[in-house]
Amino acid sequence: MKLMVSVKRVVDYNVRIQVKPDGSGVVTDGVKMSMNPFDEIAMEEALRIKEAGNAEEIIAVTIGEQKAQEQLRTALAMGADRAIHVEVDEDIQPLTAARVLKALADKEQPGMVLLGKQAIDDDQGQTGQMLAALWDRPQATFASKVDLDGQKAKVTREVDAGLETIEVDLPAVVTTDLRLNEPRYVKLPDIMKAKKKPIDTTSLADLGVEAAPGLKVTNTAPPPERQGGKKVESVDELVSELKNRGLI
Amino acid sequence: MSNTSGASKLPFDLTPSEEQQMMRESMQRFAAAELLPAARDADAESKIPDGLLDAAHELGITLLAVPEQYGGAGTERSPIANSLIAEDLGQGDMALALAILSPLGVLNTILDQGSEAQREHYLPRFADEKFLPAATAVMESTALFDPSNLQTTAKADGDGWVLNGEKRMVPLSSHRPLLLVLAKVEGEDSPAAFIVEGDNPGVNFEAEPLMGLRGMEPGQVTLKDCRVEGSARLGGDDGFDARRFLNLSKLGLGATACGVAAGLLEHAIEYTNERVAFGEPISHRQSVAFMVANIGIELEGMRLMVQRAASRAEQGLDFEREATLAARFCGDHGMEIGTNAVQLLGGHGFTQEYLEEMCYRHLRAVGILEGCFSI
């Protein structure tokens, strides 16, 4: 079985985000970029499935600018066998990403597509679900445990009420949650080996995919600065302060 | 470490290559997640946490340094890549970083100056699945370290050698590491180096409490009529270039010190922006802001000097002057950064609630230690 893992290049989670003065987005020039942490968890899960003897090949996919190949190299250094770079200069929407992954799934015929439940840049959390619909295959989202059993997968999901375990027929789409696993450290010799692994570059046109129109970011703004708290001496003072402010 | 020179063809460019950048990220991550949280306890107990050395070994630091023909995965040694790795691990904790990198110093020296037979004999052991404790035994009980006048002696004895003497501040001492011992051979001006197995009955290890770097499990090594084979003399008849070895060690120590300083700078910025006094963050005071800025400037100087020397070493050029200046600069300014970082935190800096006091004690070693980790 082949596994396909999609990885997105995002601003590193340690970076303090700054909004561009014109509100057109966030500053990415000179900012550290990394693989979306949820995608890293998806990659790690794929590696564990392969190491357990349940898959033969892992294909890492990214959709984005030329530099997104850095994240593919990281995926290859983690242990992916080969990579596909769908080169796109503009920001893409979840539906476009889902269409691209559907086209690649048709071509590669993976037994499972794994991806993060959301990317930490725009937090849309839609691509996996849209892919499952377009591909007409089952989906197991927010996975915190994945067990393979022949042509089925048992997936434990983190839902509001607790944990839910579902069974899906393969091929299926699995989106990964934070507690599924802890991604490995990339080993230094594997970084050198990753240099020799192939990255195929393709485009939306090559895949016959049309970019989805629809969403347009009209403004990006930082959250309002929080005002400092105020200490009061007694409960009475607290009540009267809240009343004065019209909060109770 | 393999040759992964910078992106540019210019002789001195600090832009890391894509591979170097990936290595750094992996090391930084490991340091932040595994070394930093363990540093305080390691210092208090003078003990490396269980499993840490094996976990670090899995990163493949030594495996990559061992060439393929000896069972490793590496190509060419790269002092630049090694110094970057040392800085990143040092930012987690200098003592634990030196413990982790200690075998690399021995490995690199065997690779650099060992005979072919010695490489074939020893290098595959560093490429093994398990961490191989190994350390250089250089310093002695004398007040000043003088490589040309070592108290540890090696006397020819039949087809072997007999070593006698005391070595100080040897990392990984409780692990009975494989040793690279510097000793004086009568009639020779330059010191010789001998590879001594940790379980040699003539070797005794004893923990040695130090001001800082306790987390590397430093120890005193006593060599008493310690007999080794003739083949244990590093470099065989070609001899051993002690100056080259010591210069590369200075850079290793300097690079880890850069990591400590980088961690202190990061925390100084965070702390002085958050700590409010007289109604505003203390970073708004010039006396504070200048001190933070100076840490940044001095750190950059340390880094540049280490990297310049490492770059020359990597290109096969003479680097003794550069390494000596870098070591002096890192020793002096490392200390200054340490004491200023403590000062910026005021009373907090003097408590064990923060890492500053420990980092200060670590950095105090930079101008004193010799031969800890040869890049």
Side-chain angles (χ1 to χ4, degrees):
Chain A
M1 176 166 83
K2 280 188 205 174
L3 302 172
M4 195 160 97
V5 182
S6 95
V7 299
K8 186 176 182 183
R9 176 182 173 88
V10 298
V11 174
D12 187 81
Y13 71 98
N14 279 318
V15 171
R16 202 167 284 181
I17 298 286
Q18 283 186 315
V19 173
K20 286 184 192 164
D22 66 357
S24 63
V26 300
V27 177
T28 54
D29 288 345
V31 167
K32 188 180 175 207
M33 305 294 280
S34 297
M35 187 191 293
N36 173 35
F38 290 108
D39 295 340
E40 208 176 332
I41 292 169
M43 189 64 221
E44 174 66 33
E45 195 60 20
L47 293 168
R48 291 183 189 193
I49 292 170
K50 188 183 167 194
E51 283 161 2
N54 290 321
E56 289 82 46
E57 190 184 30
I58 300 172
I59 308 158
V61 177
T62 198
I63 310 164
E65 57 179 326
Q66 222 281 331
K67 281 186 182 162
Q69 287 204 3
E70 288 171 13
Q71 280 59 49
L72 286 180
R73 283 281 168 224
T74 304
L76 292 169
M78 282 177 81
D81 297 287
R82 62 188 168 95
I84 300 171
H85 177 207
V86 183
E87 200 170 337
V88 181
D89 283 332
E90 62 274 20
D91 283 343
I92 62 151
Q93 296 171 19
L95 183 57
T96 314
R99 284 177 183 168
V100 167
L101 294 175
K102 157 73 166 67
L104 289 171
D106 285 343
K107 202 170 143 200
E108 299 287 349
Q109 300 286 319
M112 193 185 277
V113 177
L114 296 109
L115 62 164
K117 68 168 183 173
Q118 69 197 83
I120 61 164
D121 50 1
D122 54 17
D123 284 324
Q124 304 249 20
Q126 300 174 10
T127 306
Q129 292 88 328
M130 286 176 169
L131 168 63
L134 294 173
W135 197 20
D136 199 18
R137 293 304 310 169
Q139 57 179 295
T141 51
F142 315 139
S144 65
K145 192 165 191 281
V146 177
D147 285 316
L148 284 185
D149 181 14
Q151 282 309 297
K152 292 179 191 304
K154 249 191 203 159
V155 178
T156 303
R157 311 177 57 231
E158 293 194 355
V159 293
D160 286 348
L163 298 176
E164 176 187 77
T165 303
I166 60 169
E167 193 177 79
V168 290
D169 290 328
L170 300 179
V173 177
V174 174
T175 75
T176 53
D177 213 327
L178 199 62
R179 280 163 287 274
L180 176 60
N181 59 47
E182 229 171 88
R184 64 197 59 193
Y185 299 109
V186 175
K187 299 182 175 74
L188 303 191
D190 292 344
I191 292 171
M192 307 310 287
K193 276 188 218 155
K195 257 188 357 188
K196 294 176 190 146
K197 292 182 182 175
I199 296 181
D200 288 335
T201 303
T202 181
S203 65
L204 295 186
D206 287 346
L207 294 169
V209 169
E210 201 182 319
L215 293 177
K216 191 178 159 215
V217 175
T218 54
N219 188 34
T220 308
E225 261 193 48
R226 283 216 222 159
Q227 297 300 315
K230 181 183 172 186
K231 271 189 187 167
V232 290
E233 295 296 328
S234 65
V235 175
D236 289 344
E237 201 184 328
L238 174 67
V239 172
S240 75
E241 183 76 22
L242 290 172
K243 273 187 183 159
N244 283 345
R245 296 191 187 193
L247 295 168
I248 51 170
Chain B
M1 194 60 46
S2 67
N3 188 340
T4 50
S5 26
S8 161
K9 296 283 178 221
L10 293 168
F12 183 58
D13 175 29
L14 289 186
T15 309
S17 67
E18 198 183 332
E19 289 79 37
Q20 285 173 347
Q21 190 53 40
M22 283 170 76
M23 285 179 188
R24 296 203 67 170
E25 275 168 27
S26 190
M27 291 297 129
Q28 285 163 359
R29 220 163 144 164
F30 183 83
E34 312 289 339
L35 303 190
L36 189 62
R40 181 55 85 180
D41 285 350
D43 183 66
E45 297 159 21
S46 298
K47 189 177 178 316
I48 300 162
D50 292 338
L52 181 75
L53 295 173
D54 283 326
H57 184 62
E58 278 188 25
L59 295 169
I61 300 170
T62 50
L63 186 66
L64 189 61
V66 177
E68 275 177 28
Q69 73 254 44
Y70 309 114
T75 43
E76 272 176 62
R77 177 186 193 178
S78 164
I80 294 178
N82 284 335
S83 64
L84 294 174
I85 286 171
E87 174 175 342
D88 292 331
L89 291 177
Q91 188 163 353
D93 179 55
M94 186 166 171
L96 294 173
L98 288 174
I100 288 167
L101 294 168
S102 179
L104 189 61
V106 178
L107 186 173
N108 277 336
T109 312
I110 295 175
L111 186 62
D112 194 27
Q113 303 209 35
S115 67
E116 187 53 34
Q118 283 164 340
R119 292 180 189 181
E120 275 173 22
H121 184 70
Y122 292 104
L123 296 186
R125 287 167 63 184
F126 290 93
D128 198 58
E129 268 181 35
K130 297 287 277 181
F131 177 84
L132 175 73
T136 47
V138 177
M139 308 241 340
E140 301 190 333
S141 302
T142 46
L144 288 172
F145 176 73
D146 178 3
S148 63
N149 188 25
L150 294 173
Q151 305 301 305
T152 303
T153 57
K155 283 203 173 93
D157 175 44
D159 56 358
W161 296 89
V162 173
L163 307 181
N164 276 292
E166 270 179 6
K167 291 289 176 181
R168 310 287 298 267
M169 304 185 202
V170 177
L172 298 171
S173 66
S174 65
H175 295 258
R176 298 193 72 88
L178 176 76
L179 294 171
L180 185 75
V181 179
L182 260 61
K184 183 173 178 64
V185 175
E186 209 166 318
E188 293 184 15
D189 292 335
S190 179
F194 296 86
I195 307 167
V196 181
E197 296 289 344
D199 61 2
N200 186 311
V203 185
N204 185 50
F205 294 90
E206 201 179 330
E208 181 176 32
L210 299 179
M211 174 181 175
L213 301 180
R214 295 173 192 159
M216 70 174 190
E217 297 187 4
Q220 184 169 339
V221 176
T222 312
L223 303 150
K224 196 172 174 205
D225 297 330
C226 172
R227 195 173 193 289
V228 294
E229 300 290 317
S231 60
R233 180 171 181 175
L234 194 73
D237 296 337
D238 294 341
F240 167 69
D241 185 346
R243 294 177 82 125
R244 177 174 166 79
F245 160 77
L246 290 168
N247 287 334
L248 286 165
S249 301
K250 286 185 173 104
L251 295 180
L253 202 59
T256 42
C258 289
V260 182
L264 289 173
L265 174 64
E266 210 170 87
H267 188 232
I269 292 170
E270 191 188 310
Y271 183 90
T272 55
N273 278 320
E274 278 172 10
R275 172 84 175 160
V276 174
F278 310 110
E280 58 180 356
I282 58 170
S283 60
H284 291 192
R285 307 265 151 182
Q286 273 197 341
S287 60
V288 170
F290 285 166
M291 216 184 225
V292 176
N294 282 340
I295 293 180
I297 295 163
E298 284 161 9
L299 164 61
E300 205 56 30
M302 286 163 62
R303 198 180 261 149
L304 284 167
M305 290 180 82
V306 168
Q307 286 284 297
R308 172 159 164 76
S311 165
R312 288 186 64 86
E314 182 149 332
Q315 295 173 71
L317 302 169
D318 178 63
F319 64 100
E320 178 155 20
R321 181 173 178 275
E322 287 76 11
T324 307
L325 296 182
R328 175 67 198 269
F329 195 81
C330 288
D332 290 353
H333 290 274
M335 263 193 295
E336 201 173 332
I337 289 172
T339 188
N340 285 343
V342 169
Q343 190 64 42
L344 281 167
L345 267 66
H348 283 149
F350 199 60
T351 68
Q352 295 202 342
E353 193 183 340
Y354 292 90
L355 294 177
E356 270 71 7
E357 64 84 24
M358 183 184 77
C359 292
Y360 170 67
R361 288 187 281 113
H362 287 346
L363 286 169
R364 197 61 191 78
V366 180
I368 292 170
L369 231 61
E370 291 277 353
C372 219
F373 152 56
S374 167
I375 62 167

